[in-house]
Amino acid sequence: MSKIQPKIHQFTALLQVLLLVGVSLFPSSSFASAASMAYEKNRNLCAGQPIITRKHEAALQWMFRNVGESQIQGTKTPQHEAACWMLRSKKSFSPQRFVMGVIYYATKGMQWDVSSNWMTTKHECNWYGVECSMFGTVVNLDLGYIKVDGLVPREIGLLSGLKDLDLHGNELQGVIPHRLLVGLKNLEYFRIQMNGMFGAIHKEITNMKNLKELYLYGNYISGTIPTEISKLKKLGTSYWIVMLVGRGSCG
């Protein structure tokens, strides 16, 4: 028994590693078929440019899981446009690069006053208004005053390394997406003042525990300021009280 036990422990350790990386020793036929069906059902997702094959499977699965199948398949959505742009490129799929593409298409990037290097073959860290860490993670996105128009895409919330988001002085509309509030846990500076944003300030903003400065004035913000905002210990009163001034009204 003493010789067998070490082998059992080795097998158990190997099994745990395989499970952690998502490998199953006993894949069911239904799971295997479901995994392969994604590319098979979406061969013409991008009107044949490119034809979707098995090599695109991992990218499709990620986009369906994190963005939504209907959004990726909808031919007129910015998510669809960004997906096909990524799949056509010769670069390997990058969730970060995909999100940046969604931002461009969702906010009419072709009409921005400045869009240097956006949607080119250059790394997204070299695009206008983008600053990255030494590891190539987007940490600063400054698109203030360049005529960014449309709805704020919720996919920005997938840029989990973002620390500074500046969208002020543009023509953005709609509400601040829930996913943005929940996903940007590392955000320290959030500037979205002087736009056409409306709706209430949701209590989910407390997920931004590292927030130091918040500028929302000059929008159509309404409703009451959630009491939970007091939980943001790093946020100084002088930086969020400006929400009371401008087009909107908070009671």
Side-chain angles (χ1 to χ4, degrees):
M1 292 295 291
S2 60
K3 294 183 179 180
I4 296 175
Q5 283 182 337
K7 294 183 178 180
I8 294 176
H9 293 319
Q10 290 174 5
F11 176 78
T12 303
L14 176 61
L15 180 59
Q16 290 175 340
V17 170
L18 291 172
L19 291 175
L20 282 173
V21 298
V23 177
S24 174
L25 296 180
F26 312 103
S28 65
S29 58
S30 59
F31 177 83
S33 61
S36 63
M37 287 301 286
Y39 82 87
E40 291 178 352
K41 287 184 176 180
N42 294 278
R43 290 186 183 277
N44 292 312
L45 177 70
C46 302
Q49 299 179 357
I51 295 175
I52 306 302
T53 63
R54 184 180 292 274
K55 72 178 182 179
H56 301 115
E57 181 64 30
L60 280 178
Q61 291 287 354
W62 186 91
M63 290 187 290
F64 287 173
R65 183 173 62 254
N66 291 281
V67 178
E69 193 169 343
S70 61
Q71 293 297 311
I72 299 299
Q73 292 175 334
T75 56
K76 295 183 178 180
T77 68
Q79 293 83 1
H80 172 84
E81 291 183 276
C84 290
W85 167 73
M86 279 278 344
L87 295 173
R88 289 188 191 108
S89 72
K90 295 180 179 180
K91 295 180 177 291
S92 57
F93 180 79
S94 161
Q96 175 176 273
R97 193 172 175 85
F98 164 75
V99 171
M100 300 298 282
V102 173
I103 294 171
Y104 181 86
Y105 287 117
T107 60
K108 304 176 183 178
M110 294 183 67
Q111 300 176 21
W112 295 354
D113 283 344
V114 188
S115 59
S116 304
N117 294 332
W118 276 76
M119 314 311 286
T120 66
T121 56
K122 291 187 177 182
H123 193 280
E124 57 271 21
C125 292
N126 296 314
W127 295 356
Y128 172 82
V130 180
E131 183 180 337
C132 293
S133 69
M134 62 184 294
F135 303 107
T137 300
V138 175
V139 295
N140 183 3
L141 183 58
D142 183 356
L143 299 178
Y145 273 116
I146 60 168
K147 292 184 180 178
V148 176
D149 190 4
L151 301 177
V152 178
R154 66 192 187 103
E155 284 77 12
I156 292 181
L158 293 171
L159 298 176
S160 57
L162 203 60
K163 293 184 178 181
D164 191 332
L165 177 59
D166 189 345
L167 300 172
H168 85 282
N170 287 300
E171 300 172 16
L172 293 166
Q173 308 95 39
V175 299
I176 299 175
H178 176 270
R179 171 174 277 187
L180 187 152
L181 298 175
V182 173
L184 300 183
K185 291 182 172 63
N186 292 307
L187 198 68
E188 297 178 1
Y189 306 96
F190 187 20
R191 304 175 182 89
I192 198 169
Q193 72 270 26
M194 301 305 298
N195 277 285
M197 306 299 294
F198 55 82
I201 303 166
H202 297 289
K203 65 180 181 180
E204 282 77 12
I205 198 170
T206 56
N207 286 281
M208 297 179 173
K209 298 187 183 301
N210 290 297
L211 200 62
K212 297 177 180 178
E213 298 181 15
L214 173 64
Y215 298 90
L216 296 176
Y217 65 86
N219 286 289
Y220 297 98
I221 303 296
S222 60
T224 58
I225 297 174
T227 57
E228 289 86 354
I229 203 169
S230 62
K231 296 179 181 179
L232 299 177
K233 303 301 182 183
K234 297 182 180 180
L235 182 64
T237 304
S238 59
Y239 289 113
W240 65 263
I241 197 68
V242 293
M243 293 188 294
L244 301 176
V245 182
R247 301 171 183 166
S249 61
C250 292

